[in-house]
Amino acid sequence: MVFLTQVVSDARINETKEQQEEAGMLHEEFSTSVYGTRWAGQDIPRFDMPDNEMPPDVAYRLINDELALDGRPSLNLASFVTTFMEPEAERLISENASKNFIDYEEYPQTCEIQNRCINMIARMFHAPMDSSEEECMGCSTIGSSEAIILAVLAMKRRWQIARDEKGLSKEKPNLVMGANVQVCWEKAVKYLEIEPRYVSCTEDYLIMSPEKAIELMDENTIGCCAILGSTYTGHYEDVKTLNELLEKKCAETGWDICIHVDAASGGFVAPFVCPELVWDFRLPRVISINVSGHKYGLTYAGVGWCIWRSKEYLPKDLIFNINYLGADQASLTLNFSKSASTVIGQYYVLIRLGKSGFRSIMTNLIRISDHLAACLEKAGFQILSERNGRGLPLVAFRIKTKKHYDEFDVAARLRERGWIVPAYTAPPNAEQIKMLRVVVREDFSKSRCDLLIRDILAVVKQLDAQDAKTIQENRNNHPSAKQRWALLRNIGSVAFHHPQLEGKERVPNKTNGVC
């Protein structure tokens, strides 16, 4: 999560220096090894750029020492983002980090590599290939958030054009989606001034119901979002049924409402594990799909992809033609400059693994997630996610019986052992359900899985042996994430908080989806 940053005033810095001087914390300058230099004996620059240089090895070591306080990416089971790539891929990424992707004239082969990736991904999603006049369109993005905003923008503009042609009002566009959507969808509708219409979840059904989605639609609906892999429980939403219901509804009303599939997590999983599942461009109402290359596309952050069924669904006036980089080129992007390295990294993964390689990795991840689910179920947990490849390779689970501790206590104790396993509440109307979630990524082997199971069982045993009073004391003594940020605020590492970002003025009955 990216936080806005509040700039610290000189007055606060001077107050801190005075307090340090009074406490005798300022040292004389000296210089020997890295840790004997004067820089090791004083604060690392944090607010004002220093007047003088420091040696590169000192700068590296000081920064590296601070970063050591971060969690280990391989043990961060909260994130879908790739934490392992082969050395050859890392070398390609490092060697091409200085290339500005947008400069097609200077780096034509990099542009060609993007085109190859889009062609491969479009075919993986069964884009129509039978007409040269209706070929699909696509672009690379920083991630699925940018891809989703571009897709929503295209849906809104297409709806506006159609309303203009009919002489109808363009005042109140709306977008239908499940209450379980990730926060990037909330951003998209807010930034683009679109009314969100959320399909409420229930305790028994934690994803969008196609039938309920249809009920929320009207002539101002620009489209509907279906998620291939809910971030809450990993479920695939029923895109096929949604398509069938939409076909019938549009035939009855004359509306033209289409589907965007948010395949951020599932787009690189379902085609290899569950190829018989029909969710993509094989369905006529699916007009655009996004996928994150940096999730199960097995590439480091940040790279995403957005594919449109044909140019009909990508209005021309959203595409900018520029010529001041040396040649005429078309641009569809929210961010202009970006490194070409992750696009090149994605291409490496696609040609290195091929379909058989992706199939092997994704099948292994499903096996491991099923193994984890079976062990947790045997230990007394209730499993909320799908198995046998019917959803993402993750395990969402909750405490089955009433205890004097909850899922947040389990997460906190696992954090003490180095594991980052998130605890959170279900979407609106089911928020009384608390759950934990383990995302099974490429570098999460069965042996590592067994170590996690061992530690979960140890944590449960420890919590069972403690009384409610002791557990409450531990909660009081271990600050929450919000309290930790407040503590950092007091010592100068400030994150700016706004009431809307803290949930005080949120959309009614809507919570942010975990990522």
Side-chain angles (χ1 to χ4, degrees):
M1 183 64 70
V2 178
F3 289 86
L4 297 175
T5 300
Q6 178 176 320
V7 176
V8 178
S9 66
D10 289 341
R12 280 184 58 191
I13 295 173
N14 292 332
E15 289 172 6
T16 302
K17 286 182 178 179
E18 290 173 3
Q19 292 171 359
Q20 290 176 336
E21 288 174 354
E22 292 175 3
M25 294 173 63
L26 300 181
H27 305 285
E28 295 294 326
E29 294 184 3
F30 50 89
S31 178
T32 54
S33 66
V34 169
Y35 293 108
T37 63
R38 61 185 175 89
W39 292 284
Q42 63 189 33
D43 282 343
I44 188 171
R46 297 161 68 191
F47 308 119
D48 194 13
M49 187 184 299
D51 294 326
N52 301 311
E53 302 176 29
M54 69 171 66
D57 59 330
V58 174
Y60 168 83
R61 179 51 54 189
L62 292 179
I63 296 171
N64 191 64
D65 286 350
E66 289 207 354
L67 293 176
L69 296 174
D70 282 344
R72 291 183 58 189
S74 60
L75 299 184
N76 180 8
L77 306 181
S79 177
F80 289 90
V81 176
T82 295
T83 53
F84 167 80
M85 290 188 78
E86 294 174 331
E88 293 80 3
E90 292 183 338
R91 193 181 315 141
L92 275 172
I93 289 172
S94 175
E95 290 171 353
N96 290 280
S98 62
K99 287 185 179 179
N100 185 6
F101 177 79
I102 201 66
D103 197 343
Y104 301 158
E105 174 69 12
E106 184 70 20
Y107 310 117
Q109 205 57 35
T110 298
C111 180
E112 167 64 16
I113 283 175
Q114 175 197 243
N115 296 341
R116 294 175 188 176
C117 289
I118 290 170
N119 271 270
M120 292 179 186
I121 294 169
R123 283 171 168 80
M124 185 171 69
F125 294 163
H126 298 94
M129 294 290 164
D130 53 358
S131 171
S132 59
E133 299 299 319
E134 298 179 359
E135 293 175 339
C136 75
M137 307 285 286
C139 65
S140 66
T141 59
I142 297 295
S144 277
S145 293
E146 181 184 6
I148 284 167
I149 292 175
L150 290 173
V152 173
L153 182 61
M155 285 191 288
K156 179 182 178 181
R157 186 71 188 114
R158 181 171 175 267
W159 173 81
Q160 289 174 327
I161 292 171
R163 300 287 285 183
D164 266 339
E165 291 174 351
K166 296 177 182 178
L168 299 173
S169 170
K170 301 178 294 182
E171 292 297 315
K172 298 179 180 179
N174 68 72
L175 180 71
V176 175
M177 52 192 161
N180 58 310
V181 292
Q182 210 262 357
V183 67
C184 59
W185 283 95
E186 295 183 64
K187 291 181 179 180
V189 293
K190 183 176 283 292
Y191 294 168
L192 300 177
E193 297 183 322
I194 298 168
E195 175 197 350
R197 293 190 176 178
Y198 296 110
V199 179
S200 296
C201 300
T202 67
E203 290 187 43
D204 299 322
Y205 203 73
L206 297 174
I207 55 177
M208 181 184 70
S209 162
E211 293 78 10
K212 291 182 179 179
I214 296 294
E215 293 173 3
L216 294 177
M217 296 179 184
D218 59 26
E219 64 177 353
N220 293 321
T221 301
I222 66 170
C224 181
C225 159
I227 305 175
L228 192 76
S230 169
T231 54
Y232 285 91
T233 58
H235 284 81
Y236 296 150
E237 293 184 337
D238 191 350
V239 190
K240 185 177 181 181
T241 297
L242 179 64
N243 179 83
E244 292 170 354
L245 294 174
L246 255 181
E247 287 277 59
K248 182 179 179 181
K249 189 72 172 180
C250 291
E252 293 172 352
T253 62
W255 301 340
D256 184 17
I257 300 172
C258 296
I259 301 168
H260 173 88
V261 179
D262 179 358
S265 300
F268 278 106
V269 179
F272 304 106
V273 174
C274 197
E276 70 280 3
L277 181 67
V278 179
W279 61 272
D280 51 20
F281 290 123
R282 287 170 286 184
L283 301 171
R285 286 281 159 188
V286 174
I287 62 165
S288 53
I289 301 172
N290 71 278
V291 65
S292 290
H294 58 231
K295 292 183 179 177
Y296 287 109
L298 309 180
T299 307
Y300 288 149
V303 61
W305 305 92
C306 195
I307 312 291
W308 284 268
R309 174 181 286 274
S310 73
K311 58 185 178 183
E312 173 189 351
Y313 302 102
L314 185 57
K316 291 181 180 179
D317 60 352
L318 297 182
I319 301 172
F320 289 83
N321 293 294
I322 57 175
N323 65 4
Y324 50 79
L325 290 178
D328 290 330
Q329 61 189 59
S331 174
L332 177 65
T333 176
L334 297 180
N335 187 74
F336 197 65
S337 295
K338 67 177 180 181
S339 173
S341 59
T342 50
V343 172
I344 294 168
Q346 179 75 84
Y347 184 58
Y348 170 89
V349 172
L350 293 175
I351 67 170
R352 159 74 176 90
L353 295 177
K355 294 176 183 177
S356 64
F358 264 95
R359 190 175 299 112
S360 296
I361 290 172
M362 298 308 160
T363 301
N364 260 344
L365 298 186
I366 293 297
R367 289 195 189 112
I368 293 168
S369 63
D370 285 351
H371 168 67
L372 175 59
C375 292
L376 291 173
E377 189 172 51
K378 186 177 179 180
F381 288 99
Q382 178 185 355
I383 306 302
L384 301 175
S385 47
E386 285 282 12
R387 306 189 209 186
N388 301 316
R390 295 190 300 269
L392 296 178
L394 64 79
V395 181
F397 58 104
R398 64 183 297 205
I399 298 170
K400 194 172 185 178
T401 58
K402 182 70 175 178
K403 298 279 189 178
H404 55 287
Y405 56 87
D406 64 11
E407 288 78 4
F408 290 88
D409 295 312
V410 175
R413 297 304 172 87
L414 286 172
R415 187 67 181 87
E416 293 173 0
R417 294 169 179 259
W419 301 102
I420 302 174
V421 177
Y424 51 93
T425 57
N429 290 345
E431 53 269 269
Q432 62 273 20
I433 296 177
K434 300 175 184 177
M435 67 183 86
L436 296 141
R437 188 197 66 195
V438 172
V439 175
V440 178
R441 297 189 305 272
E442 182 183 8
D443 57 348
F444 191 73
S445 63
K446 183 179 180 298
S447 59
R448 181 171 288 171
C449 177
D450 288 336
L451 291 173
L452 174 64
I453 294 167
R454 179 201 65 185
D455 282 351
I456 290 175
L457 296 179
V459 163
V460 169
K461 184 177 180 181
Q462 181 186 34
L463 290 168
D464 281 336
Q466 293 179 339
D467 56 30
K469 181 180 178 181
T470 302
I471 290 173
Q472 185 58 52
E473 289 175 352
N474 284 330
R475 291 174 184 167
N476 296 337
N477 292 332
H478 288 78
S480 66
K482 188 173 181 180
Q483 290 169 328
R484 286 196 295 272
W485 275 106
L487 181 62
L488 288 172
R489 189 189 190 100
N490 291 334
I491 60 175
S493 184
V494 178
F496 175 76
H497 294 277
H498 189 281
Q500 287 183 321
L501 299 181
E502 295 183 344
K504 294 179 181 178
E505 296 181 16
R506 305 283 301 260
V507 176
N509 299 322
K510 180 69 186 79
T511 60
N512 283 331
V514 290
C515 58

